[in-house]
Amino acid sequence: MTTLKERHEINPKDQWDLTTIFESDDQFWDQFEVVKSNINKAEQFKTKLNSSSETLYEAITTLENDSQQLSKLYVYAHLLHDQDTSNSTYSAMENKVQSLAVQFSAAWSYFTAELLSIDESRMKEMIESHEGLKSFEFNLINILKDKPYTLSTNEEKILALASEPLSTAEETFSMFSNADIQFDDAIDQAGERHIVTQGSYSKLMESSDRVLRKNTYNSMYKAYGQYNHTLQSTLSGVVDKHIFSARVRGYDSSRHQALHQNRIDEVVYDQLIDAVNEHLPLLHRYTALRKELLQLDEMHMYDMYTPLVKDIDFKVTYEEAKEWLIKGLKPMGEDYLDIIKEGLSNGWVDVYENKGKRSGAYSSGSYLTNPFILMNWQDNVNNLFTLAHEFGHSAHSYLSRKHQPSHMSDYSIFVAEVASTCNEALLAHTMHQELTDPMKKLYLLNHELEGFKGTVFRQTMFAEFEHLIHQMKEEGTPLTADALNELYGNLNKKYYGDAVVTDENISKEWSRIPHFYYNFYVYQYATGYSAAIALSEQILSEGQPVVDRYVKEMLSAGSSEEPLTVLKNAGVDMTSKEPIVKACKVFEQKLDEFEKLIKSL
């Protein structure tokens, strides 16, 4: 059994370099006190934003500058905490920064509401008369788009006070699902017991042991099934909350409110569902192939996650991964590769697992820092693609911060997964060209097909379910447990086809999905993935002109334009079906390759 290293045993060259943020903890605490003392500056601008252009400009720049410093503090503290969560010094540091952030937010809480009280013509007059305000024009006018849905000061205060009790449904679900629910152990074909948790479920479902998969699946849905009516109540409660908010503010629907807040046209949502539904025969073909390759008389949902290509020796060390990354992203050109090389060699990446290190992977950073990537490296293909994915986020952040002022440097969540997924697609293309081992090619194709299935087909199914349950409630149809089970079961059958048995268990899957409490969030996984595939295809077929456009119009754009405009300028119109259709065509090509290759072996 391999023992994890302590943090101090990890080679410094494999750790991120946080001295680029603060040279020492003492320097951090000095800056902490400066930011803390600056919080009271907020009070001097309260009720005065409309008094003059100069006052508005001073308020905005004060808020922006102090926000930057606060973000810098937070990045330093949370990275130190995540590299060793058992270190109480850094846990306390992170907690103090979070507390400071709460104080900062409270001090400036009046800001947006007061901006919204300014008449649009007055706002334009103030902007026109002050050169400094002109750089904030897009943001200020954008904020005013929420004015028709903003209530009086007293009404807004009531809604703010109501936000905590209105959050009971999702909080109840979260506590139940993460803390209270217990699962039976799953027995494998040898009679061995395996502990089933939220964390272990996915890994167990990938097992080649079908007995273990079935028992894990039954354990999960037995537990959730016992609380079918309780979880119907929590989900119905959060839908009620969304509908209440939309009606009080005057939106057409709960979906209209959720998408308007991100400046997304509802047609994007509808086009996604329509286009994916038109291409469901491709998913049916893939599930039928899975059933055939697994040699099953009857295939259940617990058979959907075990790899079709197994026992492949496809080891990828971190040093090999770096080489693959540079080769894979070559189509992006030298300027982009220079960013990747800088990150790989100048302390952006914390590579290996150590005792106490936070699990998973992410890209972090702020306007005043370089990007940072957390990994827990294992020598496999999945980690290689994770590294490419996180470098997509990091390069996107790096370029947006380099080319945009702070207030325009954060990109919309709608485009957040595009750069990361585009990197993965370009890497996969290069690997297909260079790999000679047919089994490794099969493994890679299986990886891509599963990624598309899970991100485009499955997340679109989630999005369709979420839209339908909100529509039902808005039309006065109660969301009973039976109604939710029937709706979800029918959608599962429609999406996965006749090759898969839709049983009573899978009809209750809705009851364990936390994303249904996120308010029309999941569709963005599918749209982002589709946009990335469409862009990667353009890059590979048309070359540098597309790269230049993509880097300038999207990766460097931040939030200087609406998210749909940013993508359209980069070459993808998400208000049309075309990007979704193109992405589905790529899935079809991969499926053709997979079938042809597996039949040749």
Side-chain angles (χ1 to χ4, degrees):
M1 182 176 177
T2 304
T3 303
L4 281 178
K5 291 182 177 181
E6 299 285 349
R7 180 69 186 180
H8 66 84
E9 296 177 303
I10 301 294
N11 192 321
K13 75 177 182 64
D14 296 319
Q15 299 181 33
W16 45 34
D17 180 9
L18 303 188
T19 63
T20 59
I21 310 177
F22 293 109
E23 292 181 4
S24 66
D25 291 356
D26 287 342
Q27 192 181 60
F28 165 89
W29 287 116
D30 289 344
Q31 188 60 39
F32 182 95
E33 291 302 321
V34 171
V35 174
K36 185 177 180 180
S37 66
N38 284 345
I39 287 179
N40 58 18
K41 289 182 183 177
E43 191 65 26
Q44 72 188 67
F45 301 107
K46 196 171 184 179
T47 72
K48 299 175 184 175
L49 298 183
N50 195 16
S51 62
S52 71
S53 298
E54 184 60 32
T55 299
L56 179 58
Y57 178 72
E58 284 184 28
I60 291 173
T61 52
T62 299
L63 173 58
E64 181 177 49
N65 292 336
D66 290 348
S67 295
Q68 288 178 27
Q69 295 298 332
L70 179 61
S71 295
K72 184 178 177 182
L73 290 172
Y74 175 72
V75 168
Y76 186 76
H78 101 80
L79 295 180
L80 281 170
H81 170 258
D82 287 356
Q83 71 186 28
D84 184 0
T85 58
S86 65
N87 187 314
S88 58
T89 298
Y90 294 130
S91 294
M93 178 187 279
E94 184 182 42
N95 288 336
K96 286 186 178 180
V97 176
Q98 289 172 338
S99 178
L100 185 66
V102 170
Q103 296 172 47
F104 185 85
S105 296
W108 287 95
S109 61
Y110 68 86
F111 188 78
T112 300
E114 198 169 318
L115 280 180
L116 286 167
S117 71
I118 301 174
D119 183 76
E120 186 172 348
S121 60
R122 167 64 176 160
M123 179 69 80
K124 289 181 177 178
E125 178 187 308
M126 293 169 77
I127 292 169
E128 192 60 35
S129 67
H130 194 286
E131 198 62 34
L133 280 178
K134 289 179 182 177
S135 68
F136 294 93
E137 181 174 8
F138 179 78
N139 301 67
L140 291 169
I141 299 302
N142 204 21
I143 287 171
L144 293 181
K145 290 180 181 179
D146 290 325
K147 195 164 187 172
Y149 309 107
T150 304
L151 307 178
S152 70
T153 302
N154 285 337
E155 288 169 330
E156 288 291 345
K157 184 176 180 180
I158 291 169
L159 286 180
L161 290 170
S163 63
E164 188 171 349
L166 285 172
S167 299
T168 301
E170 57 256 53
E171 288 174 6
T172 300
F173 172 80
S174 180
M175 289 300 295
F176 172 80
S177 196
N178 293 315
D180 290 343
I181 194 167
Q182 299 292 318
F183 307 105
D184 293 339
D185 290 348
I187 312 297
D188 64 21
Q189 61 187 3
E192 296 291 327
R193 289 182 173 273
H194 298 258
I195 296 173
V196 179
T197 66
Q198 301 286 14
S200 69
Y201 179 76
S202 296
K203 194 68 179 174
L204 293 171
M205 291 296 285
E206 292 173 0
S207 172
S208 58
D209 183 338
R210 194 176 190 221
V211 173
L212 177 58
R213 296 200 305 269
K214 180 178 179 180
N215 288 334
T216 301
Y217 175 82
N218 288 337
S219 170
M220 177 66 66
Y221 290 105
K222 175 186 174 185
Y224 275 98
Q226 289 174 337
Y227 301 97
N228 201 216
H229 295 283
T230 299
L231 295 171
Q232 162 269 317
S233 179
T234 59
L235 184 56
S236 182
V238 83
V239 172
D240 284 340
K241 172 189 171 180
H242 298 159
I243 294 171
F244 167 76
S245 177
R247 287 177 175 170
V248 165
R249 294 190 176 282
Y251 288 94
D252 297 338
S253 67
S254 47
R255 189 180 74 167
H256 177 218
Q257 179 178 14
L259 271 65
H260 171 82
Q261 289 173 341
N262 290 325
R263 306 298 185 245
I264 303 298
D265 193 313
E266 286 186 271
V267 71
V268 174
Y269 205 104
D270 293 328
Q271 295 279 35
L272 170 69
I273 292 173
D274 289 347
V276 170
N277 270 262
E278 289 168 7
H279 290 85
L280 286 180
L282 289 175
L283 181 57
H284 300 166
R285 181 177 145 200
Y286 181 51
T287 55
L289 177 64
R290 169 172 283 274
K291 180 180 179 181
E292 177 187 342
L293 294 177
L294 292 176
Q295 299 179 322
L296 298 173
D297 293 329
E298 193 176 79
M299 186 167 71
H300 290 258
M301 288 303 294
Y302 54 78
D303 298 311
M304 291 297 292
Y305 299 99
T306 185
L308 294 176
V309 184
K310 302 172 185 177
D311 303 322
I312 301 297
D313 181 17
F314 203 162
K315 182 179 178 181
V316 182
T317 66
Y318 183 65
E319 292 303 314
E320 290 169 337
K322 291 195 289 186
E323 293 175 9
W324 272 120
L325 198 58
I326 298 303
K327 283 192 288 187
L329 298 179
K330 194 173 181 180
M332 286 295 296
E334 287 303 318
D335 289 346
Y336 187 87
L337 283 179
D338 284 344
I339 299 170
I340 307 303
K341 290 173 183 176
E342 181 179 345
L344 288 170
S345 58
N346 290 341
W348 289 15
V349 188
D350 203 78
V351 184
Y352 295 106
E353 189 177 9
N354 57 255
K355 282 185 179 178
K357 187 175 178 180
R358 174 178 163 160
S359 62
Y362 62 65
S363 172
S364 184
S366 74
Y367 192 75
L368 297 179
T369 76
N370 55 250
F372 293 95
I373 294 172
L374 179 135
M375 295 289 296
N376 282 276
W377 187 264
Q378 302 292 320
D379 291 341
N380 58 45
V381 174
N382 284 346
N383 273 244
L384 166 59
F385 277 92
T386 299
L387 186 67
H389 184 99
E390 299 307 336
F391 258 106
H393 288 308
S394 290
H396 191 179
S397 298
Y398 176 90
L399 286 162
S400 288
R401 291 166 188 158
K402 180 180 179 181
H403 293 281
Q404 299 297 332
S406 174
H407 59 277
M408 289 184 177
S409 63
D410 288 337
Y411 42 84
S412 164
I413 190 67
F414 185 77
V415 304
E417 294 300 325
V418 175
S420 53
T421 307
C422 186
N423 271 12
E424 289 192 69
L426 295 174
L427 172 63
H429 174 80
T430 298
M431 292 183 75
H432 279 302
Q433 286 185 320
E434 298 215 356
L435 289 172
T436 56
D437 184 338
M439 293 306 294
K440 288 183 177 180
K441 283 178 174 284
L442 270 178
Y443 183 93
L444 188 57
L445 285 166
N446 187 204
H447 172 89
E448 293 176 274
L449 291 168
E450 286 296 306
F452 194 100
K453 181 193 77 175
T455 309
V456 177
F457 288 119
R458 181 171 167 82
Q459 300 301 328
T460 302
M461 185 182 84
F462 284 175
E464 187 169 354
F465 176 79
E466 188 173 12
H467 181 43
L468 289 171
I469 61 175
H470 282 80
Q471 276 190 325
M472 287 168 65
K473 205 69 188 285
E474 285 167 339
E475 293 167 1
T477 303
L479 297 181
T480 64
D482 287 343
L484 290 169
N485 294 343
E486 181 180 4
L487 175 62
Y488 195 89
N490 288 339
L491 281 173
N492 197 81
K493 185 169 183 60
K494 179 175 81 168
Y495 273 75
Y496 290 100
D498 294 336
V500 190
V501 174
T502 298
D503 57 25
E504 183 181 353
N505 278 338
I506 203 61
S507 296
K508 296 174 183 174
E509 186 181 39
W510 60 266
S511 66
R512 73 175 190 87
I513 305 298
H515 297 78
F516 294 145
Y517 294 80
Y518 293 1
N519 196 14
F520 293 96
Y521 183 91
V522 293
Y523 81 98
Q524 296 170 117
Y525 289 120
T527 54
Y529 194 101
S530 299
I533 295 300
L535 279 167
S536 68
E537 289 292 297
Q538 290 180 36
I539 290 167
L540 291 169
S541 62
E542 300 173 46
Q544 197 61 41
V546 174
V547 170
D548 293 341
R549 186 180 69 212
Y550 171 51
V551 170
K552 179 184 176 184
E553 302 293 349
M554 201 201 95
L555 298 185
S556 303
S559 56
S560 60
E561 299 272 9
E562 303 286 15
L564 288 175
T565 305
V566 167
L567 276 177
K568 190 169 185 178
N569 291 344
V572 181
D573 182 4
M574 294 307 297
T575 63
S576 78
K577 290 183 181 180
E578 186 181 4
I580 316 296
V581 171
K582 283 185 175 179
C584 289
K585 291 295 183 187
V586 173
F587 178 82
E588 184 176 21
Q589 292 165 9
K590 301 292 183 186
L591 185 54
D592 288 343
E593 290 177 48
F594 187 83
E595 289 176 332
K596 183 178 179 181
L597 187 54
I598 207 161
K599 287 175 182 175
S600 69
L601 295 176

